[in-house]
Amino acid sequence: MKVRIGVSLGIGATTDVGALGQVVDNLDELDFDSLWLPEVLSAPALDPLVALAFVAAHNPRLKLGTTMVLPGRNPVRLAKELATLDMLSGGRLLVTFVPGLARSPEVDAVGVPTAEKGLVMDEVLPLLRRLWSGEQVSHHGDVATFDDVVVSPKPTQQPLEFWTGGMVRSALRRCGRFA
């Protein structure tokens, strides 16, 4: 059995590129498996996808983890961003999708009412898998409507897995169906 340990910098841990590079070097030297950066729009924190692109270029071994807010994002753009980061990092991307924090000002920053976030996730999670397949995708839903889209590059990991979680019955059902 292999036990892997990752480290999350948490909200507001650093916005200093030198400090981030040093954390990455230290984690690698100590044989940690992954670095995790959360997405919180209304906090003084780095954008996780941009920061993880820096980490990927800075270190060829650490896995790149992020907890991303799914509601409020364009699913085609998100599929392309994540596929690109996975491809550029050689398949080291780890993704957890969350509905976002249920507190102000984060709720307003995300732009999706709390009561609708689960419905958004239910529509977008299977759509992301289809978009990462490299096939031509058409979709007509409440969150997105488009025809004949092909996302390229494809993620290196096939399939690019994602995690989700929660405590309420609908979130647990979502975990079992999609993650």
Side-chain angles (χ1 to χ4, degrees):
M1 175 194 311
K2 183 174 186 175
V3 176
R4 296 180 174 167
I5 299 174
V7 172
S8 175
L9 289 188
I11 298 169
T14 185
T15 56
D16 178 316
V17 69
L20 179 59
Q22 188 60 57
V23 167
V24 169
D25 292 342
N26 291 344
L27 291 175
D28 189 44
E29 286 175 25
L30 295 169
D31 289 326
F32 280 90
D33 181 68
S34 56
L35 173 66
W36 287 79
L37 299 176
E39 179 177 48
V40 181
L41 300 175
S42 60
L46 298 171
D47 177 87
L49 295 183
V50 175
L52 289 173
F54 166 83
V55 173
H58 187 83
N59 179 284
R61 288 173 293 285
L62 278 176
K63 290 188 177 72
L64 315 166
T66 183
T67 301
M68 297 199 70
V69 177
L70 183 56
R73 290 184 171 275
N74 176 293
V76 176
R77 179 175 289 130
L78 178 62
K80 186 166 188 90
E81 290 169 341
L82 293 173
T84 300
L85 182 54
D86 189 61
M87 187 271 300
L88 289 174
S89 70
R92 293 184 285 147
L93 183 61
L94 306 169
V95 181
T96 299
F97 290 118
V98 298
L101 299 172
R103 66 175 191 226
S104 292
E106 192 71 12
V107 171
D108 293 334
V110 169
V112 176
T114 301
E116 296 175 20
K117 289 180 177 181
L119 297 173
V120 169
M121 292 183 73
D122 288 346
E123 180 178 334
V124 174
L125 290 173
L127 179 56
L128 288 172
R129 283 215 172 94
R130 290 177 52 215
L131 289 164
W132 289 326
S133 72
E135 306 279 324
Q136 191 174 68
V137 176
S138 295
H139 179 80
H140 300 273
D142 294 328
V143 176
T145 298
F146 54 85
D147 288 304
D148 305 327
V149 170
V150 177
V151 169
S152 181
K154 289 182 2 182
T156 297
Q157 298 177 73
Q158 283 296 320
L160 175 57
E161 295 294 340
F162 54 78
W163 302 334
T164 188
M167 299 293 286
V168 298
R169 173 169 270 172
S170 59
L172 294 173
R173 227 181 267 125
R174 188 175 303 112
C175 291
R177 285 187 12 220
F178 303 125

